[in-house]
Amino acid sequence: AQSVSQHNHHVILSEAASLELGCNYSYGGTVNLFWYVQYPGQHLQLLLKYFSGDPLVKGIKGFEAEFIKSKFSFNLRKPSVQWSDTAEYFCAVNARNTGFQKLVFGTGTRLLVSP
Amino acid sequence: NAGVTQTPKFQVLKTGQSMTLQCAQDMNHNSMYWYRQDPGMGLRLIYYSASEGTTDKGEVPNGYNVSRLNKREFSLRLESAAPSQTSVYFCASSAPGGANTEAFFGQGTRLTVV
């Protein structure tokens, strides 16, 4: 069974600082990878996803993530955060060609960006 | 385009009461899902429906029932609410095919059982 680890549970940054949130998964086969964001009081929204191809994936709002297969990692990055990036971020994984019901979420990272 | 709509947004129940959470999607998606979100635990799948007329248990189905009323609607029922069911509940749907796609989430129902 897959599992997903997000090592940083809480991150506090000042505006304009760079962001990197870690995500590691355990699964020996081919995977699909996702980052979702949940702004305060709102539903989860997809930031970016990786299915195949270029391991550097660009998403909305200036976010990107790099899939490093040898490290089983899919870290989320943003060069310069804004106050509006304050949210909870979830990494999720499912095995390739399985349904979304097989998606496994990490426990989330709460990001607080101070103005 | 409303996407995934959940009702109610907030609910307080007494232990032992029953209620149904409603979910509807207007994206013609085959698959629908119910998750619960608890602090420090991420999202956990309660039940899902791969297509109209089918439902299956997820990771944490105990204490819940579901109905896939039609392609658009997927409801979650708590027959006898318990304080352990205090949580935020999210409904989601995904495009036909299911695999290698993404899901769209509703805005959530914050349920408190006292």
Side-chain angles (χ1 to χ4, degrees):
Chain A
Q2 302 116 274
S3 65
V4 179
S5 296
Q6 292 183 244
H7 306 294
N8 311 104
H9 298 296
H10 293 89
V11 173
I12 301 174
L13 295 173
S14 299
E15 276 195 312
S18 64
L19 169 72
E20 181 160 3
L21 301 182
C23 173
N24 288 88
Y25 67 93
S26 64
Y27 181 69
T30 307
V31 294
N32 300 323
L33 297 152
F34 305 81
W35 275 100
Y36 278 87
V37 60
Q38 185 177 27
Y39 298 103
Q42 296 189 27
H43 61 288
L44 276 79
Q45 302 170 45
L46 184 68
L47 265 183
L48 49 80
K49 59 189 177 185
Y50 173 80
F51 291 155
S52 63
D54 188 344
L56 183 61
V57 180
K58 294 195 184 298
I60 61 171
K61 304 188 180 187
F63 285 91
E64 65 178 32
E66 185 176 11
F67 172 46
I68 303 179
K69 189 175 181 180
S70 61
K71 295 184 177 180
F72 298 89
S73 69
F74 190 56
N75 292 354
L76 182 70
R77 300 194 293 247
K78 186 170 185 179
S80 176
V81 295
Q82 301 172 316
W83 176 79
S84 57
D85 293 323
T86 293
E88 190 160 17
Y89 294 81
F90 292 94
C91 181
V93 175
N94 68 343
R96 184 67 51 80
N97 295 321
T98 61
F100 203 85
Q101 67 272 17
K102 299 296 186 183
L103 196 70
V104 176
F105 284 85
T107 54
T109 297
R110 285 188 185 272
L111 171 66
L112 175 63
V113 180
S114 56
Chain B
N1 189 347
V4 180
T5 304
Q6 288 181 238
T7 55
K9 288 187 170 51
F10 301 94
Q11 184 72 51
V12 178
L13 289 178
K14 293 182 179 179
T15 298
Q17 285 186 314
S18 62
M19 80 161 294
T20 300
L21 282 64
Q22 307 286 354
C23 176
Q25 52 91 10
D26 61 3
M27 294 175 283
N28 198 37
H29 287 169
N30 283 351
S31 301
M32 297 185 73
Y33 315 85
W34 276 105
Y35 289 89
R36 60 178 290 174
Q37 183 185 26
D38 301 294
M41 302 192 74
L43 274 77
R44 293 180 294 168
L45 184 65
I46 304 171
Y47 270 94
Y48 68 96
S49 171
S51 61
E52 184 179 353
T54 69
T55 61
D56 285 285
K57 295 178 180 179
E59 182 184 354
V60 288
N62 291 346
Y64 305 95
N65 285 301
V66 290
S67 296
R68 183 75 183 267
L69 304 170
N70 46 55
K71 191 170 186 179
R72 290 187 65 249
E73 298 172 290
F74 188 40
S75 62
L76 178 72
R77 182 160 178 85
L78 287 71
E79 291 291 350
S80 179
S84 61
Q85 295 178 304
T86 293
S87 187
V88 180
Y89 292 86
F90 286 98
C91 178
S93 69
S94 64
N100 303 340
T101 184
E102 65 180 274
F104 297 84
F105 287 82
Q107 293 209 323
T109 297
R110 187 173 292 276
L111 175 66
T112 303
V113 182
V114 297

